[in-house]
Amino acid sequence: LAKAMRALLLLVSLLLAPCAAEEGGSAPQPRLRPAFSTRLSTYSIKTAAEKLGRRDWSELTQGNKIVLPQRVLSQLQGRSLPYTQFQICNPECKQQRLYTGPLDFCAADGECYLPAWMMRQLKLKEGGTLSVATAQFPSGVFARFQPHSSDFLDVSNHYYLLLKTLDHFACLTAGSTIRVTDGSRTHLLDVLEVRGKPGQSDASRGRAIDLTMVELEVDIRPPKDQQPKKPAARPQPEAADAADGAGDAAGDGDA
């Protein structure tokens, strides 16, 4: 009888769960386990280009895309899995996770090539181990940036420069920092916020957007080195009254 009661209670809870979700809103979704993941030795794109003689590989035109082995592509295709969106992290520093896309699938087996500035954000050194997994995030509609320096705003066409830089990016990760080069200087911009197209699947929990064939609305916040001016302090009423009293006392003494 006790087993039958427990089974009945379990059945009732399962039947009522959808109703509770509709009344109280959807509960936070747990982090989904990636459909595919692997670990690869990491080298900067500059190092790989010099080693392989690839003059077409440059950090200026690579954006934030990575080069993966052919084996990874074969495994994903063999399992009918998408191969345009990935997440990467340093297994020894998992709190920093970046989202990316493939530049090519021609890296040596067991290796992965990515921009040096991304390696620095992930605290990776040449030959370090990188965790690579499939990801799923929506097409981007909005992104907000904050330059580290006001020098970026001194560039006459800085807004256009940012958009041209993003043309080489596979995606954007909120909380990361990107590089924008004007030919003579490199400017750092923090990605403060991203928004994806509503209704599309998002396993990144709002942290990543895809930049493939999108019209992205961009907002640039005041640079970090531009501190807001503080309003002039007004005298406190008590201090003003005390000053008036002191003046009156001095006048009485003179009399």
Side-chain angles (χ1 to χ4, degrees), residues 45 49 56 67 73 83 90 106 133 187 199 209 220 245:
I45 192 69
D56 56 324
V67 181
L73 177 62
Y83 48 85
N90 182 344
C106 61
H187 307 275
I209 55 172
I220 300 176

XYZ file of all heavy atoms in Angstrom, residues 45 49 56 67 73 83 90 106 133 187 199 209 220 245:
101
model
N 47.815 31.508 -33.357
C 47.677 31.474 -34.806
C 48.960 31.964 -35.479
O 49.334 31.499 -36.562
C 46.462 32.313 -35.250
C 46.124 32.040 -36.719
C 46.678 33.779 -35.014
C 45.580 30.673 -36.987
N 50.938 29.753 -38.113
C 51.111 30.280 -39.474
C 52.565 30.226 -39.906
O 52.878 29.881 -41.056
C 50.583 31.712 -39.533
N 48.003 33.471 -45.196
C 46.631 33.981 -45.162
C 46.066 34.000 -43.749
O 44.963 34.496 -43.533
C 45.728 33.122 -46.053
C 45.765 31.649 -45.670
O 46.845 31.160 -45.277
O 44.722 30.977 -45.775
N 41.150 27.415 -35.289
C 41.437 26.370 -36.272
C 41.469 25.034 -35.532
O 42.240 24.858 -34.587
C 42.787 26.625 -36.987
C 43.041 25.534 -38.021
C 42.782 28.006 -37.650
N 35.969 17.719 -37.099
C 34.900 17.886 -38.081
C 34.301 16.535 -38.472
O 33.071 16.392 -38.562
C 35.434 18.602 -39.315
C 34.449 18.780 -40.475
C 33.255 19.624 -40.047
C 35.144 19.419 -41.671
N 28.578 22.192 -36.469
C 30.006 22.458 -36.243
C 30.352 23.915 -36.525
O 31.440 24.222 -36.999
C 30.870 21.530 -37.113
C 30.453 21.449 -38.564
C 30.893 22.375 -39.498
C 29.599 20.435 -38.990
C 30.511 22.303 -40.820
C 29.204 20.350 -40.317
C 29.669 21.284 -41.227
O 29.284 21.211 -42.540
N 39.980 27.071 -20.399
C 41.160 26.459 -19.817
C 40.687 25.519 -18.703
O 40.056 25.973 -17.755
C 42.071 27.557 -19.251
C 43.354 27.005 -18.661
O 43.472 25.816 -18.386
N 44.324 27.878 -18.450
N 41.853 22.352 -40.264
C 43.077 21.820 -40.863
C 44.240 21.799 -39.881
O 45.397 21.658 -40.300
C 43.443 22.621 -42.107
S 43.771 24.366 -41.782
N 34.268 22.434 -26.797
C 32.974 21.739 -26.802
C 32.015 22.454 -27.736
O 32.172 23.647 -28.012
C 32.390 21.672 -25.393
N 43.166 48.997 -29.741
C 42.252 49.462 -28.699
C 41.524 48.268 -28.083
O 41.084 47.371 -28.804
C 41.241 50.446 -29.274
C 41.868 51.585 -30.036
N 42.318 52.737 -29.421
C 42.139 51.729 -31.362
C 42.820 53.552 -30.338
N 42.725 52.963 -31.517
N 13.433 33.756 -29.116
C 12.870 32.518 -29.636
C 13.885 31.506 -30.105
O 13.538 30.353 -30.365
N 26.349 35.547 -28.561
C 25.522 35.751 -29.747
C 26.334 35.420 -30.988
O 27.545 35.633 -31.030
C 24.978 37.195 -29.853
C 26.121 38.220 -29.797
C 23.933 37.457 -28.791
C 25.688 39.652 -30.086
N 28.061 52.176 -27.627
C 29.392 52.374 -27.051
C 29.266 53.271 -25.820
O 28.842 54.415 -25.922
C 30.358 53.005 -28.071
C 30.493 52.095 -29.308
C 31.732 53.236 -27.447
C 31.358 52.684 -30.404
N 26.773 81.845 13.760
C 26.834 82.083 15.207
C 28.183 82.641 15.622
O 28.268 83.527 16.472
